[in-house]
Amino acid sequence: MKKSNKLPENWGRREVLRSILFTAGAASVPTWLAGCVGGSSSSGPVAGATPSATPPPVPDTKQLVGRFANIGPLGAPDVNGVRTPDGFSTRVVAINGELPQPGGMSVAGPQTGGIGNRPWHIFPDGAGVVPRANGGWIYVSNSEVPGVGSLGFTFPELADVASAIEEFTPGLAQVGTLVFDPDGTIVDSYTILSGTTFNCAGCITPWQTWLSCEEFPNGQVWECDPYQPGEGLARPTLGFFSHEAIAIDAGNRMLYLTEDMPDGRFYRWLPDPADWPEGAERAALQAGRLQVLCVDGDGVAGAVNGPQPIRWVDARNPHEPQHQNRLPESSEFDGGEGVWYFQGIVYFATKGDDRIWAIDVAAQTIEVIYDRATAQAPNDILSGVDNLFVTAQGDVLVAEDGGDMQVVVILPDRTLKPLLQVTGQDASEIAGIAFSPDGRRMYFSSDRGGRNGLGGFTNGLGMIYELMLPEGL
């Protein structure tokens, strides 16, 4: 691992702001958040969720044209400061420090009263949606608050010391929810995890729990029940490293995990037979093998020119921090970000080189499907790659951390289109893309957006948007 006290040139806003937060101290953290404590480390199944045994079938990849293939150019910013194509509209549904409102947040200013028993959390990042029995849904959102352990992320030479101190210092991050009725009314808001550190992304499992990832060198994955207030359960079998995001291949009973470090690796987790038996609705996530990706052929660099063969090796000392246990044959990926499994392909992003990768699970190959350094106009509009979401029609939605504060669509034919752009919040990033079960509403966060005091929005401590899609799309 290369050690330096100089900020890397490819750092996004997240890394710079994290460094500023540590330099300035914790005084800027709201006082209500300082009460977050605890976090269970016990194991066992999460109760209360509604299981879903297998994902619904999706069309043949060869027939996909993309849900957003025919959207038009972005228009002028709307009242919420968001540029969208014609026919789309937006609503603000949560703002840091304010109680969510049934009909969404007023543009004019904060409102009295509201839903839930605590203000919306700061720095909302990765997110997902689970369905409710009444036809509504629950939006689950991580809070990416740094802690002592995050010092090891910003300054790798401090990773060991910072991780040791983190063990005795309750984190200030959490996971919150927005509960929607079928008509889009917000009816509740509560916390399902607290006391953790720098919770970045994660994923909704096929059995409708939320896996929340801690992004620091000794970070863990926590499984949470979105359907009721409570605390998550640590899943140490999924490894100790700077977790960013997770994708699940339920058919093959495998999990794929990204690591957000300059010398990060790409991982998969294979359950022990008793942990996820064939035909079982869910994995217990208590026992399995953590493996690391090795790119053969022309290696990682060659993947820009075409598919390269891959293989997997068991991680060294999987119950120890992986930055201390690098395997020489494993391949480096510069800042792993979002990851998504779709129809036999595992897509993931790396921010250090602005690339989107695709692993063919059956062929066991890897290739780069977007490379900022070699992209040609008009397909060069994507930079600061971060969270990913793949639609059932094969669109790869990429949220920008930096760049132009856009969500950019990579269509199945690998052409690019902007889906939206947030204006006036240049110190923020977009994350937390998720859709309502009917696909009509898309949610996303500006994790450092907020009110400007004049009836509009600017940089702040985080807010959640809803994008309403036009009829027929």
Side-chain angles (χ1 to χ4, degrees):
M1 178 183 296
K2 184 177 181 180
K3 300 179 180 180
S4 173
N5 290 324
K6 182 180 178 181
L7 296 181
E9 292 181 357
N10 60 6
W11 269 26
R13 291 177 176 84
R14 175 186 299 168
E15 287 74 19
V16 174
L17 287 167
R18 179 190 301 119
S19 180
I20 291 172
L21 179 61
F22 281 125
T23 303
S28 60
V29 177
T31 55
W32 63 265
L33 190 61
C36 298
V37 296
S40 171
S41 61
S42 61
S43 61
V46 173
T50 304
S52 176
T54 58
V58 291
D60 184 348
T61 304
K62 296 178 181 179
Q63 304 300 319
L64 298 177
V65 295
R67 183 178 189 183
F68 299 107
N70 297 316
I71 60 174
L74 301 183
D78 65 11
V79 67
N80 298 314
V82 183
R83 300 179 64 207
T84 66
D86 186 49
F88 292 76
S89 62
T90 67
R91 175 173 68 143
V92 176
V93 294
I95 298 177
N96 163 257
E98 301 179 29
L99 289 172
Q101 303 291 320
M105 309 302 287
S106 168
V107 176
Q111 297 165 283
T112 60
I115 302 298
N117 59 8
R118 69 184 311 158
W120 189 249
H121 53 252
I122 70 173
F123 305 157
D125 202 273
V129 164
V130 294
R132 298 175 64 206
N134 70 346
W137 56 93
I138 302 171
Y139 180 76
V140 182
S141 171
N142 280 348
S143 174
E144 194 186 36
V145 182
V148 176
S150 304
L151 283 168
F153 183 102
T154 308
F155 306 104
E157 61 270 25
L158 299 178
D160 295 343
V161 173
S163 293
I165 298 174
E166 175 74 27
E167 294 295 321
F168 304 98
T169 309
L172 298 177
Q174 59 180 281
V175 178
T177 63
L178 294 172
V179 182
F180 293 85
D181 267 354
D183 64 355
T185 300
I186 301 172
V187 296
D188 204 355
S189 178
Y190 48 81
T191 301
I192 60 174
L193 176 67
S194 60
T196 51
T197 292
F198 215 63
N199 293 63
C200 192
C203 78
I204 297 292
T205 68
W207 48 92
Q208 306 302 327
T209 61
W210 170 247
L211 299 181
S212 183
C213 295
E214 289 185 301
E215 188 187 3
F216 70 96
N218 199 26
Q220 295 193 70
V221 175
W222 297 75
E223 187 172 18
C224 312
D225 177 6
Y227 292 92
Q228 59 186 353
E231 296 298 333
L233 303 175
R235 299 304 188 195
T237 186
L238 299 181
F240 295 81
F241 54 89
S242 187
H243 286 274
E244 173 77 21
I246 299 176
I248 300 179
D249 174 2
N252 291 310
R253 302 194 299 285
M254 294 181 185
L255 277 64
Y256 294 91
L257 310 95
T258 51
E259 180 181 20
D260 190 353
M261 291 290 281
D263 67 337
R265 268 49 173 183
F266 189 81
Y267 301 86
R268 76 175 180 183
W269 180 83
L270 307 177
D272 288 351
D275 190 279
W276 195 352
E278 186 172 356
E281 290 182 334
R282 62 155 297 156
L285 299 180
Q286 296 182 45
R289 294 164 59 197
L290 186 68
Q291 296 187 316
V292 190
L293 179 66
C294 304
V295 181
D296 293 328
D298 293 328
V300 169
V304 175
N305 301 316
Q308 302 297 317
I310 62 172
R311 57 189 170 88
W312 301 88
V313 295
D314 289 344
R316 176 188 292 161
N317 300 322
H319 294 292
E320 296 179 3
Q322 285 302 293
H323 73 279
Q324 300 173 345
N325 290 276
R326 300 298 194 201
L327 293 169
E329 65 266 41
S330 62
S331 299
E332 291 188 12
F333 292 93
D334 190 355
E337 291 286 344
V339 60
W340 200 274
Y341 174 82
F342 176 71
Q343 289 198 0
I345 304 295
V346 181
Y347 298 95
F348 69 99
T350 51
K351 68 184 180 191
D353 46 19
D354 267 331
R355 289 175 175 174
I356 306 297
W357 306 74
I359 294 175
D360 187 318
V361 173
Q364 287 294 283
T365 60
I366 188 171
E367 64 177 316
V368 174
I369 66 168
Y370 177 79
D371 178 33
R372 172 70 172 172
T374 59
Q376 302 293 318
N379 289 330
D380 59 352
I381 61 173
L382 175 60
S383 62
V385 300
D386 201 293
N387 281 191
L388 296 184
F389 186 102
V390 182
T391 71
Q393 293 80 19
D395 314 83
V396 181
L397 276 55
V398 186
E400 290 187 332
D401 174 6
D404 298 315
M405 280 291 289
Q406 296 186 122
V407 173
V408 176
V409 181
I410 303 177
L411 296 168
D413 65 1
R414 298 189 184 178
T415 59
L416 275 62
K417 283 196 170 187
L419 176 60
L420 61 87
Q421 181 182 26
V422 176
T423 64
Q425 301 176 31
D426 290 343
S428 186
E429 65 176 280
I430 295 178
I433 298 174
F435 284 81
S436 60
D438 64 4
R440 292 294 317 285
R441 304 167 192 255
M442 188 188 95
Y443 298 92
F444 63 96
S445 69
S446 172
D447 83 344
R448 283 163 178 82
R451 295 190 186 277
N452 65 8
L454 301 173
F457 302 101
T458 184
N459 301 314
L461 295 178
M463 56 193 294
I464 307 295
Y465 287 94
E466 176 187 87
L467 177 72
M468 178 65 75
L469 278 60
E471 293 282 353
L473 185 62

